[in-house]
Amino acid sequence: MQISTKFFGDIIIQEENIIYFNEGIPGLDEYKRFVILDIEDTNIKCMQSIEEREIAFLIINPWDYFKDYEIELTDEEVNYLGIKDYKDVLVYNVVTVRQNKITVNLLAPIVININNMNAKQIILNEKKYNIRQEIPCLF
């Protein structure tokens, strides 16, 4: 399947790599299908909307930068995503690049069940995490 992307132009993706946000992402409810694209020579990835080329997010695996990061899903979230085993889950956090700093939203991770490709952005109740946690020297 060919898609138009914000950062990579037109590319071919495999349909089995499409991630489904059945409820959309908070604030972008109408966009339900995304794909995760590798960014060459870095552990940063791009989560690109299939429906709208201008909707793309830089994402990271939180444990690459925050070794003690923890999330706990509710039974409702586990059931909603169809998670049977924690090994079937990928977790990413959205990165924001501003003029003089790079931050990551640790309070709202993106959780993906790799077996059915269902995903949801979860809002954690943990007060120890920040929506704008600075990451020095990410690039």
Side-chain angles (χ1 to χ4, degrees):
M1 158 179 211
Q2 183 170 320
I3 65 167
S4 295
T5 70
K6 183 173 184 172
F7 302 115
F8 305 104
D10 291 346
I11 62 168
I12 304 291
I13 63 162
Q14 302 300 314
E15 291 200 34
E16 62 264 17
N17 292 333
I18 296 174
I19 299 162
Y20 297 92
F21 287 84
N22 295 318
E23 298 174 357
I25 294 174
L28 297 168
D29 301 343
E30 66 271 27
Y31 304 108
K32 313 268 192 222
R33 299 181 308 146
F34 288 80
V35 65
I36 294 177
L37 306 170
D38 290 328
I39 298 176
E40 198 171 306
D41 297 326
T42 180
N43 57 355
I44 302 167
K45 298 184 181 296
C46 175
M47 189 172 78
Q48 173 69 53
S49 168
I50 303 296
E51 292 104 351
E52 172 54 57
R53 76 177 298 277
E54 292 301 316
I55 304 294
F57 303 96
L58 296 177
I59 58 174
I60 60 167
N61 175 326
W63 294 283
D64 288 344
Y65 299 92
F66 304 94
K67 302 295 183 205
D68 60 346
Y69 184 66
E70 298 176 329
I71 68 167
E72 187 172 326
L73 302 178
T74 65
D75 290 342
E76 181 181 320
E77 291 162 340
V78 168
N79 291 333
Y80 176 84
L81 292 169
I83 297 169
K84 304 281 188 245
D85 191 305
Y86 74 93
K87 295 175 188 165
D88 299 332
V89 173
L90 291 177
V91 176
Y92 292 104
N93 296 79
V94 176
V95 172
T96 302
V97 180
R98 290 193 169 78
Q99 295 163 341
N100 61 349
K101 69 178 167 180
I102 300 165
T103 61
V104 62
N105 182 348
L106 293 179
L107 197 59
I110 294 167
V111 180
I112 304 165
N113 179 338
I114 60 172
N115 287 324
N116 61 17
M117 299 306 277
N118 284 333
K120 184 173 183 174
Q121 187 170 27
I122 307 293
I123 310 300
L124 300 177
N125 291 324
E126 292 292 326
K127 299 297 182 206
K128 65 183 177 180
Y129 297 123
N130 194 324
I131 62 169
R132 290 191 183 100
Q133 177 64 49
E134 193 166 344
I135 305 177
C137 263
L138 184 61
F139 296 104

